[in-house]
């Protein structure tokens, strides 16, 4: 329990017998302790951000993952602070052991989390929740260790020169907060882009171990027995050896884990500034599959059915100018270009790396019929939302939203009422907007929320679906879902500013390969049977996916 504050009476002896015997002047010693606080705080925040980033990548829904990590970790920090009371008599040895443990746990957390996801993710049953359980366990363990740091550092800094508690806390927390700032900025701008998630966590663990060992074995070595010094030295050397070995093997580990997730046919695996792109197959008769951040975006066995269902119904009517939001793989553009009277196709995609692959990868460019070699296609690298804000009104006959699943947090704004209002403004008179709204069978509420949101933006809708995807690989927001929950259909919503958008194919053009008018009419009738009553529109301020 938290004990009531009672200031020590004058002359009351502290827990330690006397001032620390330092090899440097007291002022220098205090500065070194505060420098260690700075480094440890930076490392602690990197561990925290690493867990949030990796959990969001592996399990989706970044808001939920961030909330779980932060809440569990802050709770554990409080428990760790209370538990550290019993270590204050052995502050130097306790802090040294604490930092070695934290370096090992925090440094290996990302690799362990990825390993559980890769090798047990398809086991199903209780194992399907393995990554979530491990995420909570690491958040709890790291929080406990970080929380125990402050009481021990307070004892160490008071051992150098005793001062009032308020002044010591102010100095300690100032160094702690500034270190957290540096760690928080270093992770997204330096560590993640240059080293990746696994190597950056291992490097952070190494820095953490060196900082803790240097402070205790260097500055407070005279407070330790010979046995304690030897044990701490061996422990830190062991931790650094484990982290260094893991860093050397990280590329082989990542390759093996990637094969465990995607199979042995991985042909391209790159991380752009936006996402990880993996391409499997596409050669020797194997169908090409394209994964973006681990979620299936293009399934070679039936991608044509998806893209024909997405684009072709919207092309019934004037279609001289087409806007594709997303669709950096070039496959939606391919479908639009099957109509010879299309004069211009504008593709707006956030990831220039994906567009580059769609241009240069032989199998992917062959799949999209070399769409980016057509002079009618113009590419803009931008976020679709701000780009639409600056788009000229009443410009496009057809707007195709080929975007990630609405349940993915980063995509929520692209399925908001405000976004559809901007898309409506960009439509020419008689223009059509078509949206991929996620699977109907497994996520009907999200699908009908998209439809309700489009209606709230002043659009008239015609929802429909097509059967298709049966990959056993989840494509929605949650990558940990088992194969039985993998989507086996696609849901779409066609919309116009005028009432009664016609859900018909353009019979004046070459008919689609996989889609007939009879199928389209039957699928539109079938999807009405899944309608969810009472769903409300999703907005930027109140997302509902």
């Amino acid at each position: 329990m938290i004990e009531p504050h009672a200031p020590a009476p004058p002359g009351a002896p502290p827990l330690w017998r006397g001032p620390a015997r330092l090899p440097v002047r007291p002022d220098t010693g205090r500065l070194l302790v505060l420098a260690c606080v700075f480094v440890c705080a930076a490392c602690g925040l990197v561990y925290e951000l690493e867990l949030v980033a990796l959990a969001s990548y592996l399990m989706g829904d970044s808001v939920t993952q961030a909330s779980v990590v932060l809440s569990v970790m802050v709770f554990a920090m409080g428990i760790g602070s209370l538990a550290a009371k019993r270590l204050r008599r052995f502050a130097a040895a306790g802090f040294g052991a604490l930092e070695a443990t934290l370096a090992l746990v925090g440094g290996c957390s990302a690799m362990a989390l990825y390993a559980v996801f890769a090798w047990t993710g398809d086991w199903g049953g209780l194992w399907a929740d393995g990554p979530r359980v491990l995420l909570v366990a690491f958040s709890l363990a790291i929080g406990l260790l970080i929380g125990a740091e402050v009481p021990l550092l307070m004892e160490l800094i008071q051992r150098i020169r005793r001062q009032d508690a308020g002044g010591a806390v102010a100095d300690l927390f100032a160094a702690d907060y500034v270190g957290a700032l540096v760690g928080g900025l270093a992770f997204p701008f330096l560590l993640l882009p240059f080293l990746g998630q696994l190597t950056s966590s291992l490097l952070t663990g190494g820095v953490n171990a060196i900082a803790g060992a240097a402070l205790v074995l260097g500055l407070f070595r005279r407070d330790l027995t010979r046995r304690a010094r030897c044990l701490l030295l061996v422990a830190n050397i062991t931790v650094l050896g484990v982290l260094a070995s893991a860093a050397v093997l990280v590329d082989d580990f990542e390759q093996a884990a990637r094969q465990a997730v995607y199979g042995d046919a991985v042909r391209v695996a790159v991380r752009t500034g936006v996402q990880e792109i993996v391409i499997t197959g596409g050669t020797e008769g194997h169908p090409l599959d394209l994964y973006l951040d681990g979620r299936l975006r293009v399934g070679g066995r039936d991608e044509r059915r998806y893209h024909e269902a997405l684009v072709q119904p919207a092309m019934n009517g004037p279609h001289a100018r087409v806007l594709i939001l997303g669709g950096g793989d070039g496959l939606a553009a391919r479908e639009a270009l099957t109509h010879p009277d299309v004069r211009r196709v504008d593709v707006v995609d956030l990831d220039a790396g994906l567009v580059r692959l769609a241009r240069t990868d032989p199998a992917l460019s062959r799949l999209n019929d070399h769409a980016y070699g057509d002079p009618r296609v113009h590419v803009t690298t931008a976020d679709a939302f701000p780009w639409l804000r600056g788009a000229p009104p009443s410009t496009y006959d057809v707007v195709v939203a080929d975007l990630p699943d609405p349940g993915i947090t980063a995509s929520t704004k692209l399925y908001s009422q405000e976004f559809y209002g901007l898309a409506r403004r960009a439509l020419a008179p008689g223009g059509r907007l078509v949206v991929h709204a996620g699977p109907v069978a497994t996520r009907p509420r999200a699908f009908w929320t998209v439809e309700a949101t489009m209606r709230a933006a002043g659009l008239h809708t015609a929802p429909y679906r097509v059967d298709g995807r049966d990959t056993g690989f989840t494509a929605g927001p949650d990558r940990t879902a088992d194969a039985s929950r993998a989507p086996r259909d696609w849901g779409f919503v066609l919309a116009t500013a005028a009432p009664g958008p016609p859900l018909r194919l353009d019979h004046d053009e070459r008919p689609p390969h996989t889609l007939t008018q009879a199928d389209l009419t039957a699928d539109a009738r079938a999807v009405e049977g899944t309608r969810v009553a009472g769903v409300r529109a999703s907005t930027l301020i109140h997302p509902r996916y």
Side-chain angles (χ1 to χ4, degrees):
M1 296 189 53
I2 299 177
E3 299 169 359
H5 173 68
L15 292 173
W16 23 269
R17 295 178 180 177
R21 297 173 296 163
L22 305 178
V24 296
R25 294 184 305 169
D27 288 343
T28 305
R30 285 177 58 80
L31 183 62
L32 291 174
V33 172
L34 294 176
C36 185
V37 173
F38 171 90
V39 173
C40 292
C43 293
L45 198 63
V46 169
Y47 298 143
E48 187 176 313
L49 296 175
E50 187 70 54
L51 287 177
V52 171
L54 190 59
S56 300
Y57 167 61
L58 297 180
M59 292 174 272
D61 192 357
S62 58
V63 172
T64 298
Q65 311 312 329
S67 299
V68 169
V69 171
L70 294 176
S71 57
V72 171
M73 192 169 286
V74 170
F75 164 77
M77 287 169 64
I79 302 301
S81 294
L82 290 175
K85 287 181 177 181
R86 298 182 179 275
L87 297 177
R88 286 183 299 168
R89 290 182 180 275
F90 317 100
F95 182 75
L98 190 77
E99 292 307 296
T101 306
L102 179 58
L104 182 63
V105 173
C108 295
S109 59
M111 186 173 281
L113 191 60
Y114 192 27
V116 169
F117 171 81
W119 278 284
T120 69
D122 59 349
W123 290 6
L126 294 175
W127 287 102
D129 293 322
R132 288 191 178 88
V133 173
L134 195 62
L135 175 67
V136 173
F138 273 122
S139 301
L140 189 64
I142 293 173
L144 286 169
L145 295 169
I146 292 176
E149 287 177 333
V150 173
L152 299 182
L153 286 166
M154 178 68 77
E155 289 294 329
L156 293 178
I157 205 168
Q158 291 284 56
R159 286 220 53 197
I160 296 174
R161 186 182 64 209
R162 196 178 188 194
Q163 65 179 117
D164 65 286
V169 168
D171 293 342
L172 202 65
F173 282 168
D176 185 81
Y177 294 152
V178 174
L181 171 67
V182 172
L185 295 177
F187 177 72
F189 296 114
L190 292 176
L191 296 175
L192 192 58
F194 291 105
L195 298 177
Q197 291 177 319
L198 302 184
T199 304
S200 62
S201 63
L202 294 169
L203 176 64
T204 302
V207 172
N208 199 165
I210 291 172
L215 181 72
V216 174
L217 296 176
L219 193 62
F220 292 97
R221 63 179 181 270
R222 295 174 183 172
D223 285 2
L224 304 174
T225 63
R226 178 183 293 274
R227 183 170 179 269
R229 287 197 297 268
C230 291
L231 287 175
L232 283 177
L233 184 62
V234 170
N236 279 279
I237 290 174
T238 302
V239 168
L240 289 173
V242 170
L243 296 175
S245 300
V248 171
L249 299 173
V250 72
D251 290 337
D252 294 334
F253 168 84
E254 191 169 359
Q255 183 178 357
R258 190 178 290 121
Q259 289 180 347
V261 174
Y262 302 107
D264 295 331
V266 175
R267 189 168 53 79
V268 176
V270 296
R271 173 162 289 281
T272 68
V274 177
Q275 59 198 343
E276 182 189 57
I277 303 173
V278 174
I279 298 177
T280 65
T283 60
E284 300 178 356
H286 298 291
L288 181 146
D289 290 335
L290 171 67
Y291 300 87
L292 303 181
D293 274 347
R295 299 172 182 89
L296 182 68
R297 284 292 292 162
V298 173
R301 291 184 177 85
D302 55 5
E303 69 78 18
R304 188 173 292 274
R305 182 167 177 79
Y306 166 83
H307 287 98
E308 286 186 345
L310 172 67
V311 177
Q312 296 301 338
M315 299 298 284
N316 179 35
H319 47 246
R321 294 177 66 90
V322 178
L323 170 63
I324 298 174
L325 304 172
D329 49 44
L331 298 168
R334 176 199 67 194
E335 293 302 317
L337 293 172
T338 60
H339 298 261
D341 48 352
V342 169
R343 295 203 306 267
R344 181 184 178 99
V345 176
D346 288 324
V347 178
V348 180
D349 195 278
L350 185 62
D351 193 352
L354 176 59
V355 174
R356 190 180 309 114
L357 266 178
R359 290 181 190 271
T360 59
D361 182 76
L364 185 55
S365 63
R366 184 168 58 250
L367 192 63
N368 65 35
D369 289 344
H370 307 283
Y372 288 122
D374 193 305
R376 293 174 291 174
V377 177
H378 303 265
V379 179
T380 301
T381 302
D383 186 323
F385 195 104
W387 187 91
L388 271 181
R389 295 185 69 176
S394 304
T395 302
Y396 294 99
D397 301 302
V398 178
V399 176
V400 178
D402 186 16
L403 299 165
D405 191 282
I408 300 172
T409 305
S411 303
T412 301
K413 68 177 181 180
L414 304 179
Y415 289 85
S416 65
Q417 182 177 335
E418 294 85 349
F419 180 79
Y420 293 133
L422 294 173
R424 180 176 182 268
R425 187 183 69 177
L427 288 174
R432 284 85 60 207
L433 166 67
V434 66
V435 172
H436 163 238
V440 182
T442 55
R443 302 186 66 234
R445 176 167 288 274
F447 174 83
W448 289 108
T449 299
V450 173
E451 192 267 347
T453 302
M454 297 176 74
R455 285 191 286 107
L459 293 162
H460 299 269
T461 62
Y464 62 103
R465 60 175 284 278
V466 295
D467 292 322
R469 184 184 301 142
D470 189 6
T471 63
F473 198 101
T474 181
D478 186 359
R479 289 186 60 187
T480 64
D482 58 50
S484 65
R485 296 175 59 192
R488 290 169 172 80
D489 66 0
W490 299 283
F492 306 95
V493 182
L494 179 67
T496 60
L503 192 59
R504 293 194 298 270
L505 299 175
D506 190 347
H507 293 292
D508 296 331
E509 305 287 351
R510 177 175 59 83
H513 292 82
T514 65
L515 193 64
T516 66
Q517 182 63 52
D519 290 340
L520 190 61
T521 303
D523 285 335
R525 191 180 301 115
V527 81
E528 284 294 336
T530 68
R531 184 178 287 274
V532 178
V535 295
R536 300 173 63 184
S538 180
T539 66
L540 292 176
I541 302 301
H542 195 159
R544 300 183 185 276
Y545 299 109

